[in-house]
Amino acid sequence: MRNAFATCITKLAKEREDIVLLSGDIGNRMFDDFKNIAPNRFINCGIAEANMMSLAAGMALSGLRPMIYTITPFTTTRCLEQIKIGAAYHQANIIIVGTGSGLSYAELGPTHHSLEDIAILRSIPGIRILAPADSNELTAQLEEAVNLSGPTYIRIGKKGEPSIHHKNSKLGIGKGQLLKEGDEILLLGIGPIINEALKASETLAKRDKNIAIATLGGIEPIDSAFLKLMIKRNFHTWITLEEHSIRGGLGTTILEWIADNNFESKVKVKRIGAPHKFIHKLGNQEYTRNQIGIDNQAIISLIENL
Amino acid sequence: MNTISGNNYEDFNSLSKLLRKRIIETSAKAKIPHLGSCLSCLEILIFLYWKELKINVNDPEDIDRDRFLLSKGHAAPALFQVLAERGFYKKDLLNDIGESGSVFHEHPPKPGFIPGVEAATGSLGHGMPMALGMAMAANIKHQQYRSYALISDGECNEGSIWEAAMLAGSLKLANLTVLIDFNKWQATGRSEDIMALEPLQGKWKSFGWHTQEIDGHNFTEINTSLNNARLELNKPSLIVAHTIKGKGISFMEDDNNWHYRTPNEKELHEALKEL
Ligand SMILES: Cc1ncc(C[n+]2csc(CCOP(=O)(O)OP(=O)(O)O)c2C)c(N)n1
């Protein structure tokens, strides 16, 4: 996904003079093309994320469109007040990109896990929160975000994430997508972890269970029209899936949406997400997803025990 | 080889060779990056753990122990080898470094998992302010221990380092010693190009610190500077240690590709031949 980001912003920087790329001393070589096209619009701000966020606000208030790129914990929680004040309160046109989100860097330990970013940022008014499932969705969202006012946070993986969306899907910001038809159970996810649901559905299909799978592309704005359509489909259960804490992310957002729209009698909700604790037993992303029960096996066993 | 008697720097040199070898082997085997970052601070870690720090490997949580914080947490693979060889735990625990389920990965975890590790680091700019807090705690509790932190030059980009530096200076915290592994590189470029650090020593001096500049691979200079730091009774101490990223392996020295790269079979072989 990070390469798709580099390609997309290089294209955007070619088309527009107001795009500026700020990096927190990461992304070695990835931005060489960008630097060739717009050498004075790439700034390595060093390992100083709080400063980078505030200066981005200053740039935005001066008519530029800065994009900030570094590892997720450092571009979110590390500089939270700078996001709240500089970006959100000022409605600055900043795009914040967190790379290596969720457990992409599982083996680097809790300092590099980001399982609370969505929960924290969604309590701040006026910031879009996007979590594309693959590179195509990321590109579509980025291209849209550079034309919108106010800040956008995009949470991405690292590299090698599988392609999820159909070629001709209409992707973008706040667009729910039905990836797979099914009945009785709808699995709703955000981010690349949706691939675990696709894997689970293959196993479940062999056991005569045909679940529907959809992605939301983010949680702010939420695609209410799409969700209402899904309510009409009369699934008995919705399962939410995210590589994020069980508290405050997609699952919570969906529970709130259902309560606020008086749909409690229509559908039951089950949430799959990271337990509310720090992860000490480390390994790669696949191992860690399995350990904390957010992988395809966890999905299968939840569904089989419904 | 976990005791070294006297000031026999010959022994230290063979110890650094041995540990370099292990660090490179594990980096190759477990594909753990930041090899250059580990090799630049190895002499400092060795001297601290074998000579400077008042620690007891049989009682790693002794309340009067000196505290050491690896603020540049991404050099954990070096720290892990040092702690093992020093006797904090058995070396074979490191056999599964980087493997799923092991406590030994890319950064030090919080205390309680690995004997000798004082705090979780890895997000840059946290360890040194924590070391400051530990130094302040010693004063509040009338304890005699000293507090040490090893930071890196890129880490000095972080405002938190300078906030801590200003407070330590104004508190005249003489029980705090900070070493900078000044290898002139950070992740994506020369540290001087990204954020002009120089005059690095002058900056800390103006913040009220006792400052020194040394060759960070020279045990005699490390020894002298740490002695001087202890003798300074009115100020926190800063030691700018000039180092070489990737030190000890000709084709890794001062080549920042080894910030992220790990050796392949052939490179491993070549590297080990040099040690
Ligand atoms: C707050 C924070 N931002 C970014 C990173 C990612 N990162 C890890 S190592 C590194 C470069 C460190 O360079 P330096 O501090 O000079 O240490 P060296 O590796 O050269 O010893 C970066 C940017 C991080 N670990 N923490």
Side-chain angles (χ1 to χ4, degrees):
Chain A
M1 287 179 104
R2 58 190 187 198
N3 290 333
F5 169 70
T7 309
C8 181
I9 46 153
T10 307
K11 177 175 156 272
L12 290 169
K14 232 187 269 182
E15 296 162 5
R16 303 169 52 144
E17 294 281 309
D18 56 352
I19 306 271
V20 176
L21 176 59
L22 308 175
S23 138
D25 192 28
I26 73 155
N28 204 14
R29 309 238 76 100
M30 238 180 80
F31 299 127
D32 282 357
D33 288 344
F34 188 103
K35 289 185 222 171
N36 283 336
I37 289 164
N40 65 335
R41 287 186 281 135
F42 172 84
I43 296 126
N44 183 350
C45 294
I47 313 166
E49 296 82 3
N51 180 53
M52 176 157 65
M53 193 60 69
S54 292
L55 75 85
M59 285 181 165
L61 295 175
S62 312
L64 294 174
R65 289 260 179 189
M67 305 208 184
I68 291 185
Y69 178 86
T70 190
I71 305 172
T72 303
F74 312 137
T75 196
T76 56
T77 46
R78 183 58 175 260
C79 47
L80 182 59
E81 202 185 50
Q82 284 76 7
I83 295 177
K84 174 185 153 192
I85 305 299
Y89 181 44
H90 283 89
Q91 281 299 288
N93 296 334
I94 301 176
I95 296 178
I96 302 166
V97 177
T99 184
S101 303
L103 296 168
S104 307
Y105 290 124
E107 64 273 32
L108 275 69
T111 57
H112 285 62
H113 299 165
S114 51
L115 297 169
E116 63 289 292
D117 49 316
I118 294 178
I120 291 171
L121 291 181
R122 85 181 267 275
S123 66
I124 296 175
I127 178 164
R128 281 178 283 273
I129 302 172
L130 313 181
D134 66 8
S135 295
N136 290 336
E137 192 172 19
L138 163 64
T139 305
Q141 292 182 338
L142 256 179
E143 287 180 344
E144 197 175 333
V146 285
N147 292 310
L148 300 174
S149 6
T152 303
Y153 166 54
I154 311 183
R155 179 189 213 256
I156 71 173
K158 46 180 184 187
K159 61 175 179 183
E161 290 82 7
S163 205
I164 300 287
H165 289 288
H166 304 299
K167 271 269 171 312
N168 39 10
S169 300
K170 283 210 165 49
L171 302 170
I173 294 175
K175 289 202 174 83
Q177 302 281 343
L178 197 57
L179 294 176
K180 183 187 163 293
E181 275 294 351
D183 38 56
E184 294 188 7
I185 294 166
L186 169 68
L187 190 140
L188 269 175
I190 50 169
I193 195 168
I194 198 71
N195 193 43
E196 297 285 346
L198 294 168
K199 275 196 241 166
S201 73
E202 285 166 20
T203 311
L204 289 163
K206 287 179 204 141
R207 301 176 195 171
D208 288 331
K209 279 206 163 73
N210 181 24
I211 62 164
I213 300 176
T215 57
L216 284 179
I219 59 137
E220 181 71 45
I222 194 111
D223 191 345
S224 249
F226 175 79
L227 291 176
K228 284 183 179 156
L229 218 63
M230 291 301 114
I231 288 283
K232 289 209 183 110
R233 295 279 309 269
N234 291 321
F235 295 105
H236 64 68
T237 305
W238 286 8
I239 298 171
T240 60
L241 174 68
E242 60 199 309
E243 195 162 280
H244 181 276
S245 170
I246 198 78
R247 292 202 183 180
L250 172 70
T252 308
T253 306
I254 292 297
L255 286 173
E256 289 173 7
W257 183 88
I258 285 176
D260 292 349
N261 289 282
N262 300 313
F263 290 135
E264 288 108 321
S265 59
K266 301 258 184 210
V267 71
K268 225 169 41 180
V269 177
K270 294 277 176 202
R271 293 173 295 150
I272 299 180
H276 189 55
K277 42 181 152 176
F278 289 105
I279 301 170
H280 302 299
K281 227 171 157 208
L282 303 180
N284 62 24
Q285 186 173 24
E286 197 188 344
Y287 169 84
T288 312
R289 281 179 178 174
N290 175 268
Q291 285 291 305
I292 65 171
I294 60 169
D295 66 346
N296 58 84
Q297 289 174 34
I299 298 168
I300 294 166
S301 76
L302 175 81
I303 290 175
E304 303 231 293
N305 291 307
L306 272 181
Chain B
M1 188 201 284
N2 39 38
T3 49
I4 286 184
S5 53
N7 274 340
N8 190 342
Y9 297 129
E10 278 306 303
D11 288 351
F12 279 133
N13 285 327
S14 47
L15 185 56
S16 11
K17 273 197 179 160
L18 176 76
L19 295 184
R20 265 201 170 77
K21 199 170 143 244
R22 291 195 191 144
I23 292 165
I24 295 169
E25 279 168 346
T26 40
S27 169
K29 180 168 157 249
K31 302 256 174 292
I32 296 184
H34 303 133
L35 185 50
S37 322
C38 288
L39 299 181
S40 69
C41 63
L42 185 58
E43 279 73 23
I44 294 170
L45 292 177
I46 288 177
F47 196 89
L48 283 167
Y49 276 95
W50 267 269
K51 279 287 165 204
E52 176 67 15
L53 299 175
K54 290 206 190 69
I55 42 168
N56 178 357
V57 296
N58 299 316
D59 184 9
E61 287 169 35
D62 178 359
I63 55 162
D64 291 319
R65 73 191 181 281
D66 284 345
R67 310 304 201 261
F68 170 74
L69 284 173
L70 182 69
S71 199
K72 51 169 287 186
H74 59 289
L79 179 69
F80 294 159
Q81 295 295 348
V82 165
L83 292 175
E85 185 62 23
R86 186 67 180 79
F88 279 94
Y89 42 82
K90 290 211 169 66
K91 281 194 278 289
D92 16 320
L93 284 181
L94 290 174
N95 290 346
D96 66 348
I97 187 167
E99 278 173 28
S100 292
S102 168
V103 291
F104 297 97
H105 280 270
E106 291 187 33
H107 296 114
K110 70 169 184 172
F113 292 94
I114 299 176
V117 169
E118 298 285 356
T121 48
S123 176
L124 294 164
H126 287 257
M128 186 230 154
M130 282 191 193
L132 164 63
M134 291 177 182
M136 291 165 74
N139 288 348
I140 292 168
K141 297 172 74 184
H142 305 291
Q143 283 178 273
Q144 298 308 310
Y145 68 81
R146 293 183 62 80
S147 180
Y148 296 79
L150 177 64
I151 63 178
S152 40
D153 46 8
E155 191 179 10
C156 289
N157 294 173
E158 288 287 0
S160 60
I161 295 292
W162 300 101
E163 292 170 22
M166 273 187 277
L167 185 58
S170 77
L171 294 175
K172 303 192 189 327
L173 269 186
N175 57 352
L176 176 65
T177 299
V178 172
L179 299 108
I180 302 188
D181 176 7
F182 194 10
N183 61 28
K184 324 294 185 292
W185 286 108
Q186 49 195 86
T188 62
R190 283 274 178 210
S191 36
E192 189 62 19
D193 294 341
I194 294 169
M195 280 208 186
L197 283 175
E198 294 284 18
L200 190 51
Q201 202 188 351
K203 286 194 171 81
W204 289 80
K205 202 184 200 95
S206 70
F207 280 28
W209 287 59
H210 170 262
T211 62
Q212 304 172 76
E213 220 157 328
I214 61 161
D215 169 353
H217 300 299
N218 181 313
F219 287 113
T220 317
E221 291 189 27
I222 299 172
N223 185 17
T224 311
S225 65
L226 288 168
N227 281 339
N228 292 341
R230 250 183 285 106
L231 293 172
E232 169 58 58
L233 300 178
N234 257 320
K235 290 176 180 172
S237 253
L238 185 272
I239 299 169
V240 178
H242 291 280
T243 55
I244 296 169
K245 206 157 170 171
K247 169 76 179 173
I249 306 301
S250 58
F251 61 92
M252 293 183 186
E253 287 196 357
D254 209 33
D255 175 357
N256 208 37
N257 283 313
W258 296 98
H259 186 83
Y260 290 119
R261 280 205 53 198
T262 59
N264 60 30
E265 199 56 41
K266 183 166 166 276
E267 288 158 340
L268 174 65
H269 183 72
E270 292 295 312
L272 296 184
K273 269 206 308 214
E274 293 189 23
L275 292 168

